[in-house]
Amino acid sequence: MPNSPSPTGRTDVVALTDRTDDRPVYVIGGGPGGLAAAAALRDRGVRAVVLEKADRVGASWHGHYDRLHLHTTRRWSGLPGLKMPRRFGRWVGRDDVVRYLEKYTEHHELEVVTGVEVNRIDPAPDGSGDWQLTATGGRVLRGRAVVVATGFNHTPRIPQWPGRDTFTGELLHAAEYRNPAPYADRDVLVVGIGNTGAEIAADLAEGGACQVRIAVRTAPHIVRRSTAGWPAQATGILVRRLPVRLVDRAGAVMARIAVPDLSAQGLPRPGTGLYSRVREGAIPVQDVGLIDAVKNGRVVPVATVASFDKDAVVLADGTRLTPDAVIAATGYTRALEPLVGHLDVLDAQGRPVTHGGRTPKQAPGLYFTGFTNPISGMLREMALDAGKIAKRVARAH
């Protein structure tokens, strides 16, 4: 008799190797993308087993900084089959996202196996079209399809700046930042002005750091999270199918109306159109305090980092700073190469060549979700991808 999932969605690891005779679909990753895919598959009568290397679902969300709220609305951030509760508010906080993912797992009675990390995916050696997964503990699992959902922000990346190892101050990645308390009355340099860097800089300025600078390589597009009640996400959804030039022009007009010119403070308007930048992978910064902080001098934009020299950080313009701490909001790598790099399914940047319901021609039955960061909202797109994947899998089998 098959084991049933526990109330938390976890399945006994020992049972995993005893229940593969029916060739389930394996979903790698117990974050929003993986859980959504598993729920959509289950809804179509397809058995899906979620493999999560951590000890709980939504593990990465537990580690995000305290201040974090979704930049997408509650309405468009829910996953298939369960809305986010109204009590979470319009902009859902980190802890409520965690609660939602746990409730989602329980609500859909998802089969989640924690503490299992998949190291490699290969076609089954018998040529059947199945997939073979090599996992921790010497496990070799077999599934009829695989959904890779290990996350857009998988492995923190800090550039190999010259002299980095000589720095005598504190250097950490933004993934390690939790709140401004440890940086009260300290001089902090935030490197990177994406959404994470911008929000951490504002958090530090509001939380008592004596000096906050933010190192900028390329001036970002900054948009209001909401204007007169209209969320930026709604605009992102509407313009996705429009010509790039048209959206660039409209974005420039909106920026002049809604966002002050911060050139005098060291943050000029970008020279490239908003949607052109999005198509290159650069999502606009949604303002949650950065504009006011820069305008009032509480966050000071500076040139990008060139190198480190003991207690100093040398900027690209030659300026030398001596911050107490440097927080690198310099992004993440997908880290998919060990898992699927040998299958020729990644592009030059290590991103999957397909996502959602499409699979690589040379790897039918291998699906990817959560590796794009669209202007319309990542959670919304993962929810849509889940339905496409489930439909394709059900049709194929």
Side-chain angles (χ1 to χ4, degrees):
M1 178 178 179
N3 286 3
S4 297
S6 72
T8 61
R10 294 174 58 182
T11 300
D12 192 304
V13 174
V14 175
L16 184 61
T17 54
D18 298 331
R19 303 183 59 204
T20 56
D21 56 333
D22 59 346
R23 297 160 50 249
V25 174
Y26 282 108
V27 180
I28 306 174
L35 298 178
L41 286 163
R42 180 181 172 86
D43 188 56
R44 285 184 173 268
V46 178
R47 182 183 173 217
V49 177
V50 179
L51 305 177
E52 168 55 51
K53 69 177 182 179
D55 62 352
R56 53 192 170 183
V57 299
S60 64
W61 285 89
H62 287 266
H64 286 316
Y65 50 92
D66 298 348
R67 173 190 173 117
L68 180 66
H69 283 70
L70 295 179
H71 291 165
T72 54
T73 65
R74 179 191 72 250
R75 174 186 174 189
W76 287 321
S77 298
L79 303 179
L82 184 66
K83 295 180 179 180
M84 287 188 170
R86 292 179 63 86
R87 68 177 183 276
F88 285 179
R90 193 181 199 192
W91 312 107
V92 182
R94 178 201 64 186
D95 291 346
D96 283 332
V97 172
V98 170
R99 293 186 186 98
Y100 174 73
L101 295 178
E102 292 172 347
K103 179 64 178 177
Y104 190 84
T105 302
E106 180 181 351
H107 175 81
H108 287 289
E109 298 182 334
L110 300 183
E111 192 173 345
V112 179
V113 184
T114 58
V116 173
E117 181 175 7
V118 178
N119 302 311
R120 184 180 170 99
I121 301 173
D122 290 288
D126 61 4
S128 63
D130 286 354
W131 289 92
Q132 180 173 289
L133 284 63
T134 305
T136 50
R139 299 180 184 87
V140 178
L141 310 172
R142 183 175 178 133
R144 53 173 159 161
V146 178
V147 181
V148 181
T150 49
F152 187 83
N153 295 336
H154 187 275
T155 301
R157 182 184 68 85
I158 298 181
Q160 290 293 332
W161 290 298
R164 191 183 85 175
D165 294 340
T166 72
F167 185 54
T168 56
E170 180 184 359
L171 173 62
L172 67 153
H173 191 273
E176 301 175 70
Y177 177 85
R178 294 295 174 267
N179 58 63
Y183 305 96
D185 299 319
R186 299 179 70 190
D187 184 330
V188 186
L189 173 66
V190 178
V191 184
I193 195 168
N195 276 294
T196 297
E199 186 158 6
I200 288 176
D203 198 30
L204 288 164
E206 295 170 11
C210 68
Q211 173 71 66
V212 181
R213 298 181 181 90
I214 187 163
V216 181
R217 179 183 298 276
T218 304
H221 284 276
I222 303 176
V223 299
R224 301 286 188 181
R225 187 168 63 176
S226 178
T227 303
W230 179 263
Q233 182 188 10
T235 302
I237 293 171
L238 291 174
V239 305
R240 287 197 72 188
R241 307 296 181 187
L242 295 179
V244 173
R245 287 185 180 182
L246 177 62
V247 180
D248 282 348
R249 291 171 185 167
V253 172
M254 287 300 299
R256 292 189 185 96
I257 295 172
V259 179
D261 186 357
L262 300 172
S263 298
Q265 288 77 28
L267 197 59
R269 296 190 189 278
T272 308
L274 184 150
Y275 202 33
S276 293
R277 292 283 299 279
V278 168
R279 295 290 290 271
E280 296 170 358
I283 296 299
V285 171
Q286 294 205 19
D287 177 54
V288 288
L290 180 70
I291 291 175
D292 287 343
V294 170
K295 190 175 181 180
N296 297 326
R298 291 181 290 120
V299 172
V300 178
V302 297
T304 191
V305 171
S307 63
F308 286 75
D309 183 13
K310 298 180 181 179
D311 66 337
V313 179
V314 183
L315 305 182
D317 61 4
T319 302
R320 293 174 67 91
L321 307 176
T322 54
D324 299 309
V326 175
I327 299 175
T330 45
Y332 298 77
T333 61
R334 311 293 86 81
L336 290 170
E337 287 78 6
L339 194 65
V340 296
H342 56 289
L343 298 175
D344 192 28
V345 295
L346 304 177
D347 65 16
Q349 286 74 46
R351 300 170 301 192
V353 295
T354 62
H355 70 90
R358 296 182 297 115
T359 64
K361 290 182 179 180
Q362 69 276 25
L366 181 62
Y367 300 86
F368 296 89
T369 182
F371 296 99
T372 59
N373 192 12
I375 195 173
S376 52
M378 185 180 290
L379 289 173
R380 177 180 181 272
E381 294 304 315
M382 286 192 289
L384 295 174
D385 279 352
K388 295 173 184 177
I389 291 170
K391 181 179 180 180
R392 180 77 177 272
V393 171
R395 182 188 300 166
H397 299 277

